[in-house]
Amino acid sequence: MIQKEILRLKKELALNELNLIKVFLKKRDGISYLQNHSQLIDKTLSRLWQDLELRNSATLIACGGYGRQELFPYSDIDLLILIPKSLHKSLSQKIEQFISLVWDLGLRVGHSVRNINQTKIEIKRDITVQTNLLESRYLNGDKVLYKNLKKIINETLIPAKFYQGKIKEQDHRHQKYNQSAYQLEPNIKESPGGLRDLQMIQWVGKSCIKRFTPTKLNQKKYLDKKNYQKLIKTDIFFKNLRILLHVTAKQSEDRLLFDYQNELALLLKYKKTTHKKRSELFMKDVYEAINFTTFINEVLLKKLNPIESDKITKITDSHFLIIKNNYLEINSKFQNKNINIKPYIFDVFMTFQKYKQLNSLGPNLLLLLGSAANRINHTFRKDKNQQAKFLSILKSNEKVNRSLRIMNKCNLIGSYIPAFGKIVSQMQHDLFHIYTVDEHILNVIQNLRRFAKDELKHEFPDCHDLFKNYTHKHILYLAALFHDIAKGRGGDHSELGAKDVHEFSKLNHLPSHDEALIKWLVKSHLVMSHTAQKLDLSDPRVIEEFARKVVNKENLTSLYLLTVADIRATSPHVWNQWKATLLKNLFKYTLNYLEQGNLSHEDSIAKRKEKAALILNTYNIRDDHYKDLWENFGENYFYKYTEEEIAWQTRLLFTHTAPKKPIIRVRHRSNGEGIEVLIYQKNTMHIFNKTCHFFDEIGYSIAAAKIFTTQHNYALNLFDLLDANPKSVSYEGLFKFIEKELVGRLETSKETKPTKLSERSRQATHFAFDTKISIAQVDESPIYQLDIITDDRNGLLSLISDQLSKENISINQAKINTLGSRAEDTFLVAYKNNLKMNQNKIDNLVEKLKAIIA
């Protein structure tokens, strides 16, 4: 074909593709679009095939998604060119020319050229090739060759082996996507519950049922009418959505990125409500479709399993349940008798927990439970017998997490606790939760269950021991179920969640002690993380205030376990050893305070000095060696640092009470994560600012900073650093570099380079995350607490310190808290010469900080 003709054909093809998209956008009929798009490509490829006079010298075959006539915009076109036994030069040249012309037309083609024997070998070797060919479709060329191929496909297809291979492939794919499709940017093709899981049903169906089509699932043997219709509806929903996504992205993009969620919600005509954006309502429908796909995929793959087991074990205390294939299943005698399973819903899970060999529920039982969810009503909820059974599931020592996950898959938790039903499939845009609310809650319960497992003791030895000795574990599970249950309603979700606990407790006749503790945990579930990550745990006054809130050891232990499980469940990127140490220290200090009968501040400081002195004594450093140093530091110093920090600093400085040059010392943090940098020098402006810039430059983020000015006007600052880009480094060389380079930076009079913030994350950009800044005076002192909540970006801390320096404001303490892509930073600051700031000054400062962060 001449170049002019190719250009004309390319233009014609592009115009036809554009018209197909226009028709789709008008009618929203995805099935028609996919078929018409496939047929358009069929005609184009057949025309090229014929123009090159390939005719019957080989066979042109459509494979994969194109083979089943589901060709999405911008998607690859999978082709097999089947050749006779050998490929002669003339045929090889023509095939190369054919593929070259296809690419010239702007089509994305994935092709292979094989003969029958090569294809047979590939089918046996690679289940992906076998699956692609299972959906093959004749396009042009030698029909005899194609018939031979179909014969080979049928001969090599062993249903049991194919089934096992596809299940293994699906498990591997689900693992790749962290076993969760309920993340904020799901891949609607590959994630669990996406299109691939629906295609799995078709592939397995084709492998074991002759002339399989989805309509064959519309019979009692597989699905009832309601679930079949929902399956078809969900399939259409995902196909329409994927077409729209590709058109919106102008490429083959299967991730529902934040960039596209608003646009798609607008295209699909979602309307925002008082408390929810249109994108959130759209994504709720996406997650509900994912949830149903996950459910129906499990049901049908179990039903289509060609490996039938004859071994059936009867359950002695149940007339309708049996054990089959290590599943708890409904007895076949009752399958066609429209059994009313509603009174026995919770019995199923009690039995599931009782038999250790059971790893899941059978498909018929899952369908029964799924259909029973809608029949749970107020009468069922106030039935004391059902209430006792539900609590029994939570009180079990076995499979609590698995039971709740299956119950949620069948929509049973949301039916039994209506408030929970409202947060199923609800997304969260706070920049650190990456899961839907219900998925996050179940992750919290899973983390609590991990504390119980001996083989996982190494993760959190202290939590493991505390949880083992915790007598009423169901209280923690209920607190986890309710802690975020009021998200998305507007108002304080902790307060609203506590009200839901009261309603549940009243209806379920919970003991007053249990209700009080669960309510308190839900109301206070953020208090421990806030205290640990925002306040100075060295200060006994902070510990005293926190101890007043927790009141007793039971509350403290309960809150500690819930807090660790909660933070770990937000995202794999939020939890780190730094946060673990902070929470552990707060627990330890508060427990010590409670057990010692509420020590006074003075007594706490006296004990701290004694402990520091004991440590120093092991280094043969006596109190007369450091008496002058401690006097120059002043009494407030001992409120700022722990006994271990005091001992370390004293060892370094007792011979350098008033040095002329800055002293910088670096060491590893005791918890093994990050490093500590001590700065001691004559107090001047801009120490904090220069230090921030330096650490930014070398790629270390500041996790916390203690800024202290001694009585003889020396700055004694301690920075806790985390490596932003963990890598193998020579720490000895790094420590020497910091100690030498930072001295030079602090001594120079040169101004620091202006800070430029890195780009906002896509999530913060597309969901307009609001920066919140507040400044409040601490009691009647000249100290002010500055709180900044914004999206985290490189250079943020340097930028803030730059602005504060310009305003003659010094930083006395900094707690830098990074939660995923969200920064929650707290500073204790003072205006020049400890002057008070009036409201105009405060308002002006807030506006300036907002302006530089925006």
Side-chain angles (χ1 to χ4, degrees):
M1 293 180 81
I2 59 174
Q3 191 65 25
K4 192 175 180 181
E5 194 175 343
I6 282 292
L7 288 172
R8 185 186 60 77
L9 187 58
K10 183 177 182 179
K11 191 175 179 180
E12 182 185 313
L13 177 63
L15 191 63
N16 286 330
E17 286 188 316
L18 188 62
N19 285 335
L20 284 176
I21 288 171
K22 283 180 180 177
V23 171
F24 167 76
L25 290 173
K26 188 176 180 181
K27 295 185 176 179
R28 298 298 165 87
D29 184 352
I31 303 301
S32 295
Y33 169 84
L34 294 173
Q35 289 175 345
N36 292 335
H37 190 207
S38 299
Q39 287 166 10
L40 173 64
I41 302 303
D42 290 353
K43 288 176 186 175
T44 305
L45 294 179
S46 290
R47 180 175 171 180
L48 288 179
W49 188 268
Q50 288 166 354
D51 286 352
L52 288 170
E53 298 183 343
L54 278 157
R55 296 195 182 97
N56 292 333
S57 57
T59 310
L60 183 63
I61 299 163
C63 303
Y66 177 42
R68 62 175 177 270
Q69 290 194 303
E70 290 182 2
L71 188 60
F72 289 84
Y74 305 101
S75 287
D76 287 353
I77 298 161
D78 287 339
L79 296 173
L80 169 63
I81 298 173
L82 198 60
I83 58 171
K85 287 185 179 178
S86 59
L87 182 63
H88 55 78
K89 189 175 180 181
S90 171
L91 178 58
S92 176
Q93 287 174 342
K94 283 186 177 182
I95 290 171
E96 282 179 19
Q97 194 178 358
F98 171 77
I99 295 300
S100 178
L101 289 173
V102 171
W103 279 103
D104 287 345
L105 289 176
L107 297 175
R108 289 164 54 105
V109 65
H111 76 285
S112 54
V113 181
R114 300 192 196 101
N115 61 33
I116 284 287
N117 287 334
Q118 289 170 332
T119 304
K120 188 175 181 179
I121 291 166
E122 282 300 307
I123 286 172
K124 289 181 175 180
R125 189 182 68 84
D126 189 346
I127 197 168
T128 307
V129 173
Q130 187 175 31
T131 307
N132 267 352
L133 292 176
L134 197 60
E135 301 180 301
S136 61
R137 182 168 55 86
Y138 172 82
L139 292 176
N140 214 312
D142 188 344
K143 289 186 178 178
V144 175
L145 264 180
Y146 182 69
K147 279 184 181 178
N148 290 339
L149 173 67
K150 295 301 281 186
K151 187 180 176 185
I152 291 293
I153 291 169
N154 292 330
E155 285 175 357
T156 54
L157 186 62
I158 303 164
K161 186 178 177 183
F162 182 80
Y163 179 86
Q164 288 174 327
K166 294 309 289 183
I167 293 294
K168 188 176 179 181
E169 186 182 73
Q170 176 170 287
D171 288 344
H172 179 72
R173 175 169 52 83
H174 287 185
Q175 287 289 343
K176 184 180 175 183
Y177 288 89
N178 295 324
Q179 283 293 6
S180 178
Y182 306 100
Q183 297 190 17
L184 296 183
E185 296 181 301
N187 184 311
I188 59 169
K189 180 184 176 185
E190 301 289 352
S191 287
L195 263 173
R196 191 66 88 202
D197 281 6
L198 291 173
Q199 290 162 4
M200 268 287 292
I201 296 165
Q202 291 195 52
W203 295 330
V204 172
K206 283 181 178 182
S207 74
C208 55
I209 299 172
K210 285 186 177 179
R211 299 182 187 86
F212 174 84
T213 61
T215 53
K216 292 206 173 183
L217 298 172
N218 188 18
Q219 50 182 288
K220 273 193 174 181
K221 183 181 177 184
Y222 297 110
L223 291 176
D224 56 52
K225 188 177 180 181
K226 186 179 178 182
N227 277 300
Y228 172 74
Q229 288 175 342
K230 194 171 181 181
L231 170 63
I232 299 303
K233 185 181 175 184
T234 304
D235 184 61
I236 291 169
F237 172 82
F238 273 127
K239 284 171 180 170
N240 283 350
L241 179 56
R242 191 176 180 221
I243 295 167
L244 264 182
L245 178 56
H246 284 200
V247 170
T248 302
K250 295 183 174 61
Q251 61 180 323
S252 181
E253 175 60 82
D254 293 318
R255 296 167 300 162
L256 270 177
L257 300 176
F258 300 125
D259 312 48
Y260 309 127
Q261 289 176 16
N262 282 323
E263 199 172 340
L264 289 168
L266 201 60
L267 280 169
L268 292 166
K269 297 181 179 175
Y270 283 85
K271 292 181 180 178
K272 66 178 182 179
T273 63
T274 307
H275 298 303
K276 289 190 173 64
K277 299 172 184 175
R278 62 164 60 93
S279 60
E280 291 176 319
L281 295 168
F282 158 60
M283 289 303 294
K284 187 174 176 70
D285 284 349
V286 172
Y287 293 126
E288 284 176 355
I290 284 169
N291 195 37
F292 176 74
T293 301
T294 305
F295 172 75
I296 215 69
N297 169 273
E298 181 178 350
V299 166
L300 287 173
L301 289 185
K302 285 175 176 177
K303 278 179 172 279
L304 292 166
N305 186 354
I307 310 162
E308 273 292 327
S309 171
D310 296 328
K311 189 179 178 183
I312 292 173
T313 306
K314 289 184 179 180
I315 291 176
T316 52
D317 52 356
S318 175
H319 63 288
F320 67 94
L321 293 174
I322 57 167
I323 296 174
K324 184 180 180 182
N325 294 336
N326 285 334
Y327 301 142
L328 185 64
E329 184 57 288
I330 194 87
N331 194 320
S332 58
K333 293 177 185 177
F334 298 96
Q335 279 181 32
N336 300 317
K337 291 186 178 180
N338 295 319
I339 182 173
N340 178 20
I341 201 169
K342 180 180 160 184
Y344 310 107
I345 287 172
F346 295 141
D347 296 81
V348 167
F349 293 97
M350 289 164 69
T351 305
F352 175 62
Q353 291 176 324
K354 184 177 177 182
Y355 291 86
K356 285 191 175 183
Q357 73 267 39
L358 294 171
N359 51 38
S360 188
L361 305 189
N364 297 310
L365 186 53
L366 283 169
L367 284 172
L368 265 178
L369 291 170
S371 63
N374 290 332
R375 298 202 295 274
I376 292 177
N377 53 23
H378 186 66
T379 305
F380 181 93
R381 294 183 202 108
K382 70 178 184 180
D383 185 321
K384 288 185 179 180
N385 191 30
Q386 299 299 342
Q387 294 169 354
K389 290 176 187 176
F390 180 73
L391 289 174
S392 173
I393 293 165
L394 295 182
K395 289 176 180 178
S396 173
N397 289 322
E398 300 292 334
K399 303 178 192 169
V400 176
N401 171 50
R402 271 189 280 171
S403 296
L404 289 172
R405 286 193 180 274
I406 296 169
M407 287 169 74
N408 196 42
K409 195 180 286 186
C410 299
N411 296 312
L412 293 170
I413 304 178
S415 296
Y416 187 66
I417 306 174
F420 188 93
K422 292 175 184 175
I423 50 89
V424 169
S425 301
Q426 181 178 307
M427 68 195 308
Q428 308 178 73
H429 284 305
D430 52 17
L431 299 187
F432 65 97
H433 285 89
I434 68 164
Y435 304 108
T436 56
V437 183
D438 59 316
E439 182 73 4
H440 164 68
I441 285 172
L442 294 175
N443 287 344
V444 175
I445 292 171
Q446 180 179 326
N447 287 339
L448 288 169
R449 293 294 301 157
R450 288 176 77 86
F451 294 152
K453 299 181 185 299
D454 290 333
E455 65 271 22
L456 299 174
K457 181 178 179 177
H458 63 279
E459 289 184 349
F460 296 98
D462 55 326
C463 288
H464 172 83
D465 294 336
L466 289 169
F467 192 78
K468 278 279 191 181
N469 295 317
Y470 199 93
T471 50
H472 301 296
K473 295 179 176 65
H474 69 283
I475 287 177
L476 290 175
Y477 304 145
L478 282 168
L481 276 173
F482 281 90
H483 83 286
D484 276 352
I485 206 166
K487 283 277 183 80
R489 291 190 213 165
D492 186 335
H493 76 279
S494 301
E495 291 288 342
L496 293 171
K499 289 177 181 177
D500 290 336
V501 171
H502 175 68
E503 293 301 317
F504 178 84
S505 301
K506 187 178 171 184
L507 184 66
N508 287 264
H509 311 285
L510 290 189
S512 57
H513 167 271
D514 292 9
E515 178 189 352
L517 182 50
I518 298 165
K519 273 174 68 176
W520 181 82
L521 285 169
V522 171
K523 282 178 83 168
S524 310
H525 74 271
L526 298 173
V527 171
M528 191 168 196
S529 61
H530 176 276
T531 304
Q533 296 176 103
K534 286 179 172 269
L535 303 180
D536 183 1
L537 302 187
S538 308
D539 191 336
R541 291 166 294 197
V542 170
I543 303 304
E544 181 182 344
E545 180 60 28
F546 180 68
R548 276 205 202 102
K549 291 175 181 175
V550 298
V551 180
N552 57 50
K553 184 180 176 181
E554 182 185 28
N555 287 358
L556 174 64
T557 302
S558 305
L559 187 58
Y560 177 47
L561 291 169
L562 180 62
T563 302
V564 173
D566 185 19
I567 297 176
R568 289 186 73 214
T570 56
S571 158
H573 311 296
V574 168
W575 184 258
N576 57 30
Q577 193 57 40
W578 167 254
K579 289 183 174 68
T581 303
L582 286 176
L583 290 168
K584 184 177 179 180
N585 286 344
L586 178 55
F587 173 78
K588 186 173 68 175
Y589 298 158
T590 310
L591 182 62
N592 186 52
Y593 178 86
L594 292 171
E595 288 180 340
Q596 291 194 358
N598 306 343
L599 279 176
S600 67
H601 305 156
E602 294 77 13
D603 288 341
S604 295
I605 294 303
K607 280 185 172 292
R608 181 171 291 173
K609 287 179 178 178
E610 287 173 15
K611 289 177 181 177
L614 285 172
I615 297 170
L616 290 165
N617 195 46
T618 62
Y619 293 92
N620 293 321
I621 301 171
R622 300 187 309 275
D623 57 358
D624 57 303
H625 290 152
Y626 51 82
K627 184 183 175 186
D628 287 346
L629 183 74
W630 282 14
E631 283 178 358
N632 277 295
F633 282 177
E635 195 66 15
N636 285 336
Y637 168 73
F638 299 97
Y639 282 85
K640 199 82 173 177
Y641 294 101
T642 66
E643 54 266 23
E644 194 279 329
E645 289 168 342
I646 291 166
W648 177 55
Q649 293 165 12
T650 304
R651 280 171 50 214
L652 296 174
L653 304 175
F654 77 93
T655 56
H656 306 283
T657 302
K660 292 181 180 179
K661 291 175 69 70
I663 293 176
I664 313 292
R665 292 293 181 269
V666 188
R667 68 172 181 173
H668 289 285
R669 280 188 47 77
S670 58
N671 64 14
E673 182 165 335
I675 58 177
E676 283 182 335
V677 179
L678 173 69
I679 299 173
Y680 184 60
Q681 71 161 86
K682 190 71 177 171
N683 195 28
T684 61
M685 287 292 287
H686 314 306
I687 295 174
F688 184 86
N689 183 249
K690 289 178 178 180
T691 308
C692 287
H693 277 272
F694 173 70
F695 292 144
D696 259 351
E697 288 173 27
I698 66 170
Y700 274 78
S701 57
I702 299 172
K706 292 181 181 181
I707 314 300
F708 180 71
T709 305
T710 67
Q711 284 189 347
H712 66 316
N713 200 31
Y714 266 73
L716 200 165
N717 302 341
L718 187 65
F719 288 84
D720 288 300
L721 305 182
L722 299 175
D723 191 347
N725 302 294
K727 53 191 177 288
S728 178
V729 296
S730 164
Y731 279 103
E732 185 181 355
L734 174 69
F735 290 2
K736 285 179 180 176
F737 169 77
I738 292 173
E739 290 170 359
K740 181 182 177 182
E741 189 66 23
L742 192 49
V743 167
R745 296 294 180 93
L746 293 172
E747 286 187 320
T748 185
S749 56
K750 289 182 183 177
E751 287 190 12
T752 52
K753 294 177 184 177
T755 304
K756 188 177 179 183
L757 280 179
S758 61
E759 292 295 317
R760 274 198 155 97
S761 69
R762 286 180 294 103
Q763 187 181 5
T765 301
H766 289 278
F767 293 98
F769 184 80
D770 291 330
T771 293
K772 295 174 183 174
I773 300 176
S774 64
I775 301 175
Q777 189 175 2
V778 179
D779 300 323
E780 293 297 315
S781 71
I783 304 298
Y784 293 81
Q785 182 167 314
L786 165 63
D787 288 301
I788 299 177
I789 299 175
T790 189
D791 55 306
D792 188 39
R793 284 166 285 165
N794 292 337
L796 179 64
L797 191 56
S798 292
L799 198 71
I800 293 167
S801 66
D802 284 348
Q803 188 61 41
L804 294 178
S805 289
K806 287 177 188 174
E807 301 293 324
N808 290 314
I809 291 172
S810 59
I811 296 172
N812 289 352
Q813 182 179 309
K815 271 291 190 96
I816 315 304
N817 186 21
T818 305
L819 301 163
S821 299
R822 172 181 171 125
E824 292 190 5
D825 298 345
T826 299
F827 306 89
L828 292 182
V829 300
Y831 191 34
K832 61 181 178 181
N833 301 322
N834 284 334
L835 293 173
K836 286 193 175 183
M837 292 192 283
N838 59 33
Q839 195 57 48
N840 285 340
K841 173 68 179 174
I842 290 172
D843 293 343
N844 184 257
L845 178 58
V846 167
E847 289 308 311
K848 284 182 177 179
L849 287 169
K850 279 186 176 179
I852 61 166
I853 292 171

